[in-house]
Amino acid sequence: MITKKLVIIGANEFQSRLVEKAKNMGYETHVFAWEEGAACRNLADKFYPISITEKESILKVAKEINPMGVVSVGSDLAVPTVNYIAYELGLVGNSLTSSLISTNKYEMRKALISNRVPCPKFSLANNDFNPRNFNMQYPLIVKPVDRSGSRGVTKVEDEKALALAIKYARELSFKHQVLVEEFFQGQEYSMEMVSFEGQHQFLAITEKFTTGAPHFVETMHLQPGRIKATILDEAIEIVKQSLDALQIKYGASHAEFKVNKNEDMVIIEIGARMGGDYIGSDLVQLSTGYDFTRMVINVAVGKEPGFNAHKQISKAAMIKFIFSPDDVIIFDGLQTIHSDKLHKYVQMHGFCDQAIKDSSQRLGYFIIQCDTREECLELMGLKQ
């Protein structure tokens, strides 16, 4: 009997769902990651303490493994390695060009604009960057070109704040490059899709809740998000156009976009991966019935996602992140009165007085599943 083997790039806590699913599907899991913080180390069939950025070292081992596919679901940093290994082994993956333009926000914006995808005005920021030279108006958003999870993101209102924000973002950027863009006022959403042979399938729409300026750290996510049907239809087509522009033909994608009061829409960014924050791994299946993780594994080994194999449902799901003791009080109330709605609760860090500037500093989370999104919002103490 031939052993089915799967190479998995990355071993953080979010990837544990991928490892578990692969094993349940009968694959022998070979996981590569930096040893420190490797939550999947003991879960994997075989673990290799190699950084996910060391492509050549991973390739050397992967050739000996001879896997059916290579995959990752929760890291932009893993995308170039996944596609490189897939390319070298003749496996399913996106192009090396796609790796570049889907993991660098500046290159991404250039590709999107060249394909007439609506985006905010933007520019790469050097040391003497002046927004007036690019006809850009305050407020502006400053961010590293190659980070996620709100790391290094700042909204600025003036020249002094801009200089500080660029310095902060550059320090957090792997490439020490910074994107500056005009701030687009509107409701933010994200969209999950899965692609196979260039055909893109919509899975779910998520409504985002954040701390607001200056860092916009996500506080909650709701599926399905509250959005007009006509706007959703338009967004689906624009996201598909964006995926084509970024040459994303296979696997998961996570598109972030905003819609203003005039129903104008702009793409903020797109990742060739599942949405983090348990959007892809948990919320999609809880709200729609689609097993997103299984679909991504199928695509990685050259199979169609298999939509008809999934029992579709019409529910609502929501994740709330813990920032303060008040959030724990909400959880305690749910646990006492609505325990049947709770899907998962995790507290990762203790409380402190430090302001939370990015998603890695949040203290934990809990997830609920309800019959309607209105019920989810009510249980979280939010008005409709």
Side-chain angles (χ1 to χ4, degrees), residues 31-48:
V31 177
F32 293 79
W34 190 253
E35 193 165 13
E36 184 178 352
C40 300
R41 178 177 181 177
N42 296 325
L43 184 61
D45 291 301
K46 295 189 179 181
F47 177 77
Y48 306 84

PDB file of all heavy atoms in Angstrom, residues 31-48:
ATOM      1  N   VAL A  31       5.697  18.209   8.469  1.00  0.00           N
ATOM      2  CA  VAL A  31       5.536  19.624   8.792  1.00  0.00           C
ATOM      3  C   VAL A  31       6.894  20.293   8.974  1.00  0.00           C
ATOM      4  O   VAL A  31       7.759  19.796   9.717  1.00  0.00           O
ATOM      5  CB  VAL A  31       4.690  19.797  10.066  1.00  0.00           C
ATOM      6  CG1 VAL A  31       4.570  21.266  10.443  1.00  0.00           C
ATOM      7  CG2 VAL A  31       3.298  19.187   9.861  1.00  0.00           C
ATOM      8  N   PHE A  32       7.072  21.444   8.310  1.00  0.00           N
ATOM      9  CA  PHE A  32       8.315  22.210   8.372  1.00  0.00           C
ATOM     10  C   PHE A  32       8.048  23.557   9.040  1.00  0.00           C
ATOM     11  O   PHE A  32       7.122  24.275   8.658  1.00  0.00           O
ATOM     12  CB  PHE A  32       8.859  22.467   6.962  1.00  0.00           C
ATOM     13  CG  PHE A  32       9.328  21.231   6.243  1.00  0.00           C
ATOM     14  CD1 PHE A  32       8.414  20.375   5.643  1.00  0.00           C
ATOM     15  CD2 PHE A  32      10.680  20.922   6.172  1.00  0.00           C
ATOM     16  CE1 PHE A  32       8.836  19.237   4.977  1.00  0.00           C
ATOM     17  CE2 PHE A  32      11.120  19.783   5.504  1.00  0.00           C
ATOM     18  CZ  PHE A  32      10.195  18.936   4.911  1.00  0.00           C
ATOM     19  N   ALA A  33       8.868  23.901  10.029  1.00  0.00           N
ATOM     20  CA  ALA A  33       8.723  25.199  10.690  1.00  0.00           C
ATOM     21  C   ALA A  33       9.881  25.420  11.655  1.00  0.00           C
ATOM     22  O   ALA A  33      10.541  24.468  12.088  1.00  0.00           O
ATOM     23  CB  ALA A  33       7.400  25.288  11.456  1.00  0.00           C
ATOM     24  N   TRP A  34      10.100  26.683  11.997  1.00  0.00           N
ATOM     25  CA  TRP A  34      11.032  27.037  13.056  1.00  0.00           C
ATOM     26  C   TRP A  34      10.546  26.376  14.332  1.00  0.00           C
ATOM     27  O   TRP A  34       9.366  26.394  14.651  1.00  0.00           O
ATOM     28  CB  TRP A  34      11.073  28.548  13.198  1.00  0.00           C
ATOM     29  CG  TRP A  34      12.156  29.062  14.098  1.00  0.00           C
ATOM     30  CD1 TRP A  34      11.994  29.583  15.341  1.00  0.00           C
ATOM     31  CD2 TRP A  34      13.547  29.125  13.801  1.00  0.00           C
ATOM     32  NE1 TRP A  34      13.221  29.977  15.844  1.00  0.00           N
ATOM     33  CE2 TRP A  34      14.189  29.705  14.929  1.00  0.00           C
ATOM     34  CE3 TRP A  34      14.324  28.745  12.692  1.00  0.00           C
ATOM     35  CZ2 TRP A  34      15.566  29.910  14.972  1.00  0.00           C
ATOM     36  CZ3 TRP A  34      15.694  28.959  12.747  1.00  0.00           C
ATOM     37  CH2 TRP A  34      16.301  29.529  13.875  1.00  0.00           C
ATOM     38  N   GLU A  35      11.466  25.774  15.089  1.00  0.00           N
ATOM     39  CA  GLU A  35      11.071  24.949  16.227  1.00  0.00           C
ATOM     40  C   GLU A  35      10.385  25.746  17.338  1.00  0.00           C
ATOM     41  O   GLU A  35       9.416  25.266  17.953  1.00  0.00           O
ATOM     42  CB  GLU A  35      12.294  24.225  16.786  1.00  0.00           C
ATOM     43  CG  GLU A  35      11.950  23.125  17.759  1.00  0.00           C
ATOM     44  CD  GLU A  35      13.130  22.207  18.012  1.00  0.00           C
ATOM     45  OE1 GLU A  35      14.273  22.544  17.632  1.00  0.00           O
ATOM     46  OE2 GLU A  35      12.905  21.134  18.594  1.00  0.00           O
ATOM     47  N   GLU A  36      10.838  26.959  17.576  1.00  0.00           N
ATOM     48  CA  GLU A  36      10.249  27.764  18.642  1.00  0.00           C
ATOM     49  C   GLU A  36       8.807  28.135  18.290  1.00  0.00           C
ATOM     50  O   GLU A  36       8.520  28.676  17.224  1.00  0.00           O
ATOM     51  CB  GLU A  36      11.069  29.037  18.854  1.00  0.00           C
ATOM     52  CG  GLU A  36      10.571  29.892  20.006  1.00  0.00           C
ATOM     53  CD  GLU A  36      11.436  31.121  20.210  1.00  0.00           C
ATOM     54  OE1 GLU A  36      12.496  31.224  19.554  1.00  0.00           O
ATOM     55  OE2 GLU A  36      11.054  31.972  21.033  1.00  0.00           O
ATOM     56  N   GLY A  37       7.875  27.828  19.170  1.00  0.00           N
ATOM     57  CA  GLY A  37       6.471  28.154  18.943  1.00  0.00           C
ATOM     58  C   GLY A  37       5.759  27.240  17.982  1.00  0.00           C
ATOM     59  O   GLY A  37       4.655  27.546  17.519  1.00  0.00           O
ATOM     60  N   ALA A  38       6.347  26.093  17.662  1.00  0.00           N
ATOM     61  CA  ALA A  38       5.743  25.150  16.713  1.00  0.00           C
ATOM     62  C   ALA A  38       4.654  24.334  17.410  1.00  0.00           C
ATOM     63  O   ALA A  38       4.904  23.259  17.949  1.00  0.00           O
ATOM     64  CB  ALA A  38       6.809  24.230  16.122  1.00  0.00           C
ATOM     65  N   ALA A  39       3.431  24.849  17.369  1.00  0.00           N
ATOM     66  CA  ALA A  39       2.313  24.204  18.060  1.00  0.00           C
ATOM     67  C   ALA A  39       1.976  22.835  17.483  1.00  0.00           C
ATOM     68  O   ALA A  39       1.399  21.997  18.167  1.00  0.00           O
ATOM     69  CB  ALA A  39       1.084  25.114  18.003  1.00  0.00           C
ATOM     70  N   CYS A  40       2.328  22.615  16.207  1.00  0.00           N
ATOM     71  CA  CYS A  40       1.985  21.352  15.539  1.00  0.00           C
ATOM     72  C   CYS A  40       3.088  20.293  15.650  1.00  0.00           C
ATOM     73  O   CYS A  40       2.971  19.219  15.059  1.00  0.00           O
ATOM     74  CB  CYS A  40       1.699  21.602  14.059  1.00  0.00           C
ATOM     75  SG  CYS A  40       0.343  22.726  13.754  1.00  0.00           S
ATOM     76  N   ARG A  41       4.128  20.610  16.374  1.00  0.00           N
ATOM     77  CA  ARG A  41       5.277  19.708  16.396  1.00  0.00           C
ATOM     78  C   ARG A  41       4.894  18.280  16.783  1.00  0.00           C
ATOM     79  O   ARG A  41       5.274  17.312  16.117  1.00  0.00           O
ATOM     80  CB  ARG A  41       6.339  20.236  17.367  1.00  0.00           C
ATOM     81  CG  ARG A  41       7.542  19.321  17.479  1.00  0.00           C
ATOM     82  CD  ARG A  41       8.616  19.881  18.382  1.00  0.00           C
ATOM     83  NE  ARG A  41       9.752  18.974  18.438  1.00  0.00           N
ATOM     84  CZ  ARG A  41      10.872  19.227  19.097  1.00  0.00           C
ATOM     85  NH1 ARG A  41      11.000  20.362  19.759  1.00  0.00           N
ATOM     86  NH2 ARG A  41      11.862  18.358  19.100  1.00  0.00           N
ATOM     87  N   ASN A  42       4.151  18.116  17.866  1.00  0.00           N
ATOM     88  CA  ASN A  42       3.791  16.774  18.331  1.00  0.00           C
ATOM     89  C   ASN A  42       2.573  16.206  17.622  1.00  0.00           C
ATOM     90  O   ASN A  42       2.296  15.010  17.720  1.00  0.00           O
ATOM     91  CB  ASN A  42       3.539  16.803  19.846  1.00  0.00           C
ATOM     92  CG  ASN A  42       4.786  17.163  20.630  1.00  0.00           C
ATOM     93  OD1 ASN A  42       5.893  16.781  20.249  1.00  0.00           O
ATOM     94  ND2 ASN A  42       4.625  17.900  21.717  1.00  0.00           N
ATOM     95  N   LEU A  43       1.865  17.062  16.895  1.00  0.00           N
ATOM     96  CA  LEU A  43       0.694  16.605  16.153  1.00  0.00           C
ATOM     97  C   LEU A  43       1.085  15.980  14.815  1.00  0.00           C
ATOM     98  O   LEU A  43       0.439  15.048  14.335  1.00  0.00           O
ATOM     99  CB  LEU A  43      -0.253  17.790  15.925  1.00  0.00           C
ATOM    100  CG  LEU A  43      -1.592  17.522  15.250  1.00  0.00           C
ATOM    101  CD1 LEU A  43      -2.436  16.563  16.070  1.00  0.00           C
ATOM    102  CD2 LEU A  43      -2.333  18.845  15.039  1.00  0.00           C
ATOM    103  N   ALA A  44       2.156  16.479  14.216  1.00  0.00           N
ATOM    104  CA  ALA A  44       2.598  16.003  12.906  1.00  0.00           C
ATOM    105  C   ALA A  44       3.144  14.574  12.989  1.00  0.00           C
ATOM    106  O   ALA A  44       3.683  14.161  14.020  1.00  0.00           O
ATOM    107  CB  ALA A  44       3.675  16.932  12.360  1.00  0.00           C
ATOM    108  N   ASP A  45       3.011  13.846  11.884  1.00  0.00           N
ATOM    109  CA  ASP A  45       3.646  12.526  11.823  1.00  0.00           C
ATOM    110  C   ASP A  45       5.159  12.677  11.841  1.00  0.00           C
ATOM    111  O   ASP A  45       5.862  11.910  12.519  1.00  0.00           O
ATOM    112  CB  ASP A  45       3.200  11.793  10.551  1.00  0.00           C
ATOM    113  CG  ASP A  45       1.730  11.402  10.606  1.00  0.00           C
ATOM    114  OD1 ASP A  45       1.342  10.668  11.530  1.00  0.00           O
ATOM    115  OD2 ASP A  45       0.969  11.852   9.725  1.00  0.00           O
ATOM    116  N   LYS A  46       5.647  13.684  11.102  1.00  0.00           N
ATOM    117  CA  LYS A  46       7.079  13.976  11.117  1.00  0.00           C
ATOM    118  C   LYS A  46       7.265  15.488  11.099  1.00  0.00           C
ATOM    119  O   LYS A  46       6.634  16.191  10.307  1.00  0.00           O
ATOM    120  CB  LYS A  46       7.787  13.323   9.930  1.00  0.00           C
ATOM    121  CG  LYS A  46       7.752  11.800   9.983  1.00  0.00           C
ATOM    122  CD  LYS A  46       8.632  11.169   8.917  1.00  0.00           C
ATOM    123  CE  LYS A  46       8.594   9.645   9.009  1.00  0.00           C
ATOM    124  NZ  LYS A  46       9.451   8.992   7.993  1.00  0.00           N
ATOM    125  N   PHE A  47       8.126  15.971  11.988  1.00  0.00           N
ATOM    126  CA  PHE A  47       8.375  17.404  12.106  1.00  0.00           C
ATOM    127  C   PHE A  47       9.835  17.703  11.788  1.00  0.00           C
ATOM    128  O   PHE A  47      10.745  17.001  12.244  1.00  0.00           O
ATOM    129  CB  PHE A  47       8.041  17.895  13.515  1.00  0.00           C
ATOM    130  CG  PHE A  47       8.338  19.357  13.723  1.00  0.00           C
ATOM    131  CD1 PHE A  47       7.487  20.330  13.229  1.00  0.00           C
ATOM    132  CD2 PHE A  47       9.490  19.759  14.400  1.00  0.00           C
ATOM    133  CE1 PHE A  47       7.766  21.684  13.406  1.00  0.00           C
ATOM    134  CE2 PHE A  47       9.773  21.102  14.581  1.00  0.00           C
ATOM    135  CZ  PHE A  47       8.914  22.068  14.090  1.00  0.00           C
ATOM    136  N   TYR A  48      10.051  18.776  10.998  1.00  0.00           N
ATOM    137  CA  TYR A  48      11.399  19.155  10.586  1.00  0.00           C
ATOM    138  C   TYR A  48      11.653  20.592  11.052  1.00  0.00           C
ATOM    139  O   TYR A  48      10.977  21.523  10.584  1.00  0.00           O
ATOM    140  CB  TYR A  48      11.534  19.069   9.063  1.00  0.00           C
ATOM    141  CG  TYR A  48      11.138  17.727   8.495  1.00  0.00           C
ATOM    142  CD1 TYR A  48       9.802  17.439   8.216  1.00  0.00           C
ATOM    143  CD2 TYR A  48      12.086  16.730   8.252  1.00  0.00           C
ATOM    144  CE1 TYR A  48       9.425  16.213   7.697  1.00  0.00           C
ATOM    145  CE2 TYR A  48      11.724  15.497   7.727  1.00  0.00           C
ATOM    146  CZ  TYR A  48      10.385  15.247   7.464  1.00  0.00           C
ATOM    147  OH  TYR A  48      10.015  14.022   6.952  1.00  0.00           O
TER     148      TYR A  48
END
